[in-house]
Amino acid sequence: MIALLGRRSASLVCLLLVVLVAAACGAPDDDEADDDADVAEDETDEPDDEPDDDEPDDAGDRPDSLVVDNSFVLTTADPGRQWEPTGHTVARALYDTLFTFEAGDVSEPVPMLVDDWEMDDDAEHFTFELRDDVTFTDGSQLTADDVEFSLRRQRNLLGSGSFLLEEVERIEAVDDLTVEMETERPLPTLISKLTSPALGIVNREEVEAAGGTAEEGADQDDEAEAHLNEQSAGSGPFELESFSAEEQVVFTRNDDYWGEVPEFERIVLRNVETETQRLNIQSGESHLVLDLAGRDLEEVDEAGLQVDSDAAPDSWVMSANADEELSPVTASPEFWEAVRHGLDYEELVDFAGPDTRFAPSVIGEQFLGALPQDEVPERDLDRVEESLDAAGYDGEDVELTYPSDINFNGLAFEPVAEIVQSQLDEAGLSVVLDPAPIETFLERDRDGDTELALSPNAPNFPDPEAYLTFMPGALHGERAGWPEDAAPAVTEVGDAARVATDDDREEAYREWQRALQEESPFFPLFQPAEALVADSSMTGVVYDSNWRVNLADLGWE
């Protein structure tokens, strides 16, 4: 179930990454797409050649060029093809979307390119009136035709982000500044999906001239990626100066940007391993670093630095296999209850590092419908003993499988697995550690071939509906051997949450998670923090769980 912001492109394997969270290379279904996408090692190569003129100046000087370090998870600068964490950061700087989130707040989408919009009572028909003052970097006006082309191209590229529009039946420019969309079912989450940098709006004329197409078959026929890796075709606050998925991405300011023009004339985003990031920010070698998290932050000398920390999009979740043929022990609901109440969540949260949150259930703290922190299950060893007796457990060994060769959120998997093993041993369960290389782990996890599995999980898009992959028979349910008819009560409240609207949604999702706590093979352990660490004189340093940081917001005091 490993995922970082959802689906990922299978081409990440060539970067020593692994791909899944709801997708592989083709047009994915929500329940079949590989959603484990993507765990990247915290250790990536630094660029060999760093531009001398971008080195930070002495303390009193404030250069117009900004140096940002990030451990790249990146394959392309084409917004329609990217679905990686660094790709989201890049696309957010180059391309505008119909809606966005402000200042790291993912609870409420706000219009960006949209001036006004309407949704019918059934949440199936949407009308978007566009702003009339938006221009692309070549000076041409952004129109509804560009929006229709961009969204249809994304859908027909059949890439990792195409699922965002798979339930949209019609996308049509009805006049120069009006776009209509119709969905195949009530889809109030469409507005949240339209914030994704993968749905950035491109200049149709320029992309078509470069070989791009939005027609069916675009996954085979579209040839615009090479052009978009050399020159951006957006209306965003920056233009692309140069792009290397292995070394660095350089942005130059769009001085004619229709919105607030960024302060920095040039930003160099460098691929730097996590440990070097810590050294660079403390020495002044870089102005901002993006990948220090969890226990990494304990090593940072914060003198002269600012840290903006928030809940990461990932929750670390352990799952038990509900398939009796694979493991009669882990398939028992009484065994699940024993595990849930045999864990010491406070110890796990303390280990994971500063600002780590409890994970009472699967929905992350920053999203609508998250359970309050005080609803985390309590450790109760008497209850565990009763549950194990009811399960007929007789001390059988159960394997806990986890990735052995990567870190995530600044944490190695093995120490977390060892804590879980110790806690459950104290509770009377015999857990045997089963480390596996990441590729092996992901293959076994996809195939439902683990007794207990430990991995992070993040939503495919910033809305609680994205977590319904934990329903019986849905993506994570299926991988855990938990079929569609396994828990009618969980399915009933989950289906109700899916169609709930307005003020009813929050409580509907909370009720669904409480049902998961009562009857599911999933055990959320903790939700770690991620942080931006920056020069103390920098402004606009706000962590965002979607694109990590909005480069256009950065400036000097």
Side-chain angles (χ1 to χ4, degrees), residues 363-557:
I363 296 180
E365 180 190 66
Q366 63 268 60
F367 299 108
L368 179 143
L371 290 179
Q373 291 279 286
D374 61 7
E375 290 195 32
V376 66
E378 293 184 1
R379 194 178 201 212
D380 185 339
L381 298 186
D382 290 336
R383 184 171 179 177
V384 171
E385 183 178 1
E386 293 173 3
S387 298
L388 291 179
D389 286 344
Y393 178 73
D394 193 27
E396 296 91 341
D397 288 343
V398 177
E399 289 187 343
L400 171 58
T401 308
Y402 55 91
S404 61
D405 53 354
I406 62 165
N407 289 358
F408 208 72
N409 303 120
L411 296 169
F413 285 82
E414 183 142 323
V416 177
E418 289 174 342
I419 292 173
V420 169
Q421 178 190 42
S422 175
Q423 292 178 355
L424 294 184
D425 179 72
E426 182 182 356
L429 292 88
S430 178
V431 175
V432 177
L433 300 187
D434 179 34
I438 179 62
E439 294 186 53
T440 302
F441 172 83
L442 290 175
E443 181 178 354
R444 291 182 60 192
D445 187 54
R446 283 193 296 265
D447 294 342
D449 186 30
T450 59
E451 293 182 329
L452 294 174
L454 172 64
S455 65
N457 180 77
N460 289 326
F461 55 95
D463 188 271
E465 183 179 324
Y467 291 91
L468 294 178
T469 54
F470 286 93
M471 291 267 279
L475 177 67
H476 291 118
E478 183 177 8
R479 290 181 179 175
W482 201 37
E484 187 173 356
D485 60 354
V490 175
T491 298
E492 181 180 356
V493 292
D495 287 343
R498 190 191 302 275
V499 298
T501 58
D502 301 328
D503 294 340
D504 296 332
R505 296 188 79 224
E506 182 170 27
E507 187 55 34
Y509 277 102
R510 286 182 173 178
E511 287 303 311
W512 172 66
Q513 290 178 97
R514 291 177 182 125
L516 283 182
Q517 283 187 337
E518 292 296 319
E519 187 183 4
S520 85
F522 302 113
F523 318 102
L525 303 182
F526 55 83
Q527 185 178 5
E530 287 189 340
L532 307 179
V533 182
D535 184 292
S536 61
S537 298
M538 190 173 294
T539 60
V541 180
V542 178
Y543 173 82
D544 189 287
S545 59
N546 291 303
W547 39 77
R548 193 66 64 91
V549 64
N550 186 351
L551 298 175
D553 288 344
L554 301 174
W556 295 120
E557 288 181 350

Side-chain angles (χ1 to χ4, degrees), residues 92-164:
R92 181 65 180 82
L94 301 175
Y95 298 92
D96 294 322
T97 49
L98 295 183
F99 291 83
T100 190
F101 293 108
E102 292 184 339
D105 179 5
V106 297
S107 64
E108 187 68 35
V110 297
M112 190 176 194
L113 295 176
V114 168
D115 185 52
D116 196 12
W117 66 286
E118 293 181 354
M119 176 180 69
D120 71 357
D121 291 340
D122 295 326
E124 294 180 348
H125 185 94
F126 300 78
T127 302
F128 303 105
E129 301 291 338
L130 304 179
R131 298 177 62 104
D132 62 4
D133 59 348
V134 180
T135 57
F136 291 109
T137 53
D138 68 357
S140 61
Q141 184 179 15
L142 185 150
T143 69
D145 191 50
D146 298 299
V147 173
E148 178 187 333
F149 174 83
S150 300
L151 300 185
R152 290 181 62 238
R153 176 176 182 261
Q154 168 59 276
R155 187 172 60 185
N156 288 326
L157 282 173
L158 306 184
S160 293
S162 297
F163 80 98
L164 293 165

